[in-house]
Every structure is written in structure tokens, then in C-alpha cells.
Amino acid sequence: MPSVWQYLPLATGRRRVAFYGQVVLALGRVGAGQGSLLGSCFPISSRHLATAMHVVGPSDRNLVALAPMVSGPNDYQDTTQTNFDFFNVKIVAANPLRDVCILEAVGGSAALINYTLTDTDTVSAGSEVQVYGYPHMDFGRRIVTLQHAHIGAKVLIPNNGVKSKHVVINAHMRPGQSGGPVFDVATNSVCAMVTGSYVPDTVGGMTISGVDPTTLHQTSHAISAEYIREMMQ
């Protein structure tokens, strides 16, 4: 199994935009010959990856990162494939208040990256972004997916009295996309990380086929990548 994946530049009409489907990985847990899918993650150094804390929880027991199936943006990903290459990862830093977790590859390198971490201060409402992740993981689907979207708003979200910078992305995200990177198209840098859809604080509630209907709207939240960068210092 290769331990390093490089990005592939994708030519566009106006500028060259990188296709990062080769470095955005899926997270899972393995055991007894089986595995369960958890969410998305992405490399932030040669050995470290970032994800959302709620994706992995407090334990890194049997936690693995799964190698992507793509070598280019036009590859067909086989939805019937159930055997995956993976490497073990462990939690090295966690910030539950900001929903950020840093992982380290065990016994090898995670990826070779060609982008930087910026923050949500560098984007504005209307800025074009690219979002990578693995939607529908809760149904066992592992297809790295690219979404083109725009920033809809910049917001402060509190958690136990601590406010964090987020952006509202004008696209609907599924649970498996949590922990995926948000790229600022203007700079090809990671400005934020997907944390999930807005869930109204309602009394009671219901789910249909495991889906909360209140999350079915065309916006999602992503936390500023500055908090990831701070945890690596």
C-alpha cells in the first residue's frame, strides 16, 4: 500500500485548480475482520491529519485512515468495492469545544500536501469554495466527492461560552462529510473544515430512515482552519 499521495492539478478555463480527491481520506474503525466508516479527514503535514472531533470521539482504538480509490478527477469509483487499504492513526491533540481533532499516522507518513492552512478571515460572503468529503458514509458508501459552493455568511458559534469562527456554506452536507476540508478557490488553501449541518434547537423531534428532517436545508457549517493551525504550533 502506498503511504504517500500527491495532489493532481486540474486545468480549468481561467486558472489551474487542484483536485484534492487523492489526499482527502476516509476514517474508520476495524476489528474482527470488519470495519465501520466514520467520516472524512485530510493531511495537514507529512504525518498529521485533521478531522472533526465528533467524527472519532475520545478514543483512537482501532482507528484507521483509508486510502482513496482515485488517481484523477475522472476516475470511476467502484461502489461495490469493500476491501480497502488503510493505515493506523492515533489522536495526538483534541479540542472538543471547537470540534477539532489532530491525528498522527502510526509508523509512516500520511500524505504529501501542496496547500496551506489559512482561515475564514481570508474569505467573504460570496467567495467560491471547493468541499471534499465522503457523503452517505452512514449507509456504507465511500465515494470521495467534490462540491463547488459559495460562502453564504460568516458566523460566531458558541460552545460552553467559547465562541468560534465558522462560515455558512451554501450546500447541503451529509454526516460522512464532517471533517472534510473547505478550499478557498482563489488561493487553493484550506480555509475551513466541515463540521455539519445546522440543527435547530427544537422540542421533541423525529428521524426518518436515520435522517433528521430539520437538517434538510441547503446550508452547512465549517469551522475556521486557524484553530487547526493553532493546535499544530
Side-chain angles (χ1 to χ4, degrees):
M1 180 196 72
S3 60
V4 175
W5 298 274
Q6 300 186 52
Y7 84 102
L8 177 69
L10 175 62
T12 66
R14 292 176 298 160
R15 56 183 175 267
R16 293 179 66 84
V17 179
F19 171 75
Y20 291 106
Q22 293 167 287
V23 296
V24 178
L25 311 181
L27 287 170
R29 293 190 193 276
V30 296
Q34 299 185 33
S36 59
L37 298 173
L38 301 175
S40 304
C41 68
F42 60 100
I44 53 176
S45 78
S46 62
R47 293 185 56 82
H48 297 94
L49 305 110
T51 190
M53 187 71 202
H54 74 266
V55 169
V56 297
S59 172
D60 55 14
R61 181 178 175 84
N62 298 325
L63 188 63
V64 298
L66 284 66
M69 296 188 291
V70 294
S71 58
N74 293 315
D75 284 4
Y76 287 94
Q77 301 178 65
D78 188 349
T79 60
T80 66
Q81 183 174 344
T82 57
N83 295 319
F84 308 129
D85 292 329
F86 62 84
F87 56 90
N88 295 91
V89 293
K90 63 180 180 180
I91 297 173
V92 293
N95 187 336
L97 289 179
R98 303 204 193 274
D99 197 15
V100 177
C101 181
I102 306 299
L103 306 172
E104 183 178 11
V106 177
S109 59
L112 179 64
I113 61 174
N114 195 11
Y115 52 78
T116 59
L117 297 178
T118 53
D119 49 58
T120 53
D121 292 345
T122 63
V123 295
S124 305
S127 293
E128 184 182 357
V129 293
Q130 292 184 342
V131 183
Y132 287 87
Y134 292 82
H136 310 294
M137 270 193 173
D138 46 342
F139 294 100
R141 189 177 176 91
R142 193 184 73 98
I143 302 297
V144 62
T145 302
L146 163 64
Q147 287 178 287
H148 289 272
H150 293 84
I151 300 298
K154 301 168 76 169
V155 295
L156 296 174
I157 298 180
N159 185 358
N160 289 327
V162 177
K163 294 182 180 180
S164 301
K165 298 176 184 177
H166 288 71
V167 288
V168 177
I169 300 172
N170 293 333
H172 178 63
M173 302 291 165
R174 291 286 301 150
Q177 291 173 277
S178 292
V182 179
F183 286 90
D184 175 12
V185 169
T187 61
N188 271 355
S189 63
V190 176
C191 63
M193 178 182 69
V194 174
T195 53
S197 297
Y198 168 66
V199 182
D201 186 10
T202 58
V203 178
M206 59 182 294
T207 60
I208 302 174
S209 296
V211 176
D212 182 349
T214 63
T215 66
L216 298 178
H217 46 77
Q218 295 305 309
T219 59
S220 301
H221 285 147
I223 192 166
S224 177
E226 66 189 84
Y227 304 118
I228 300 173
R229 192 174 62 225
E230 289 173 358
M231 292 171 66
M232 290 294 291
Q233 294 175 352

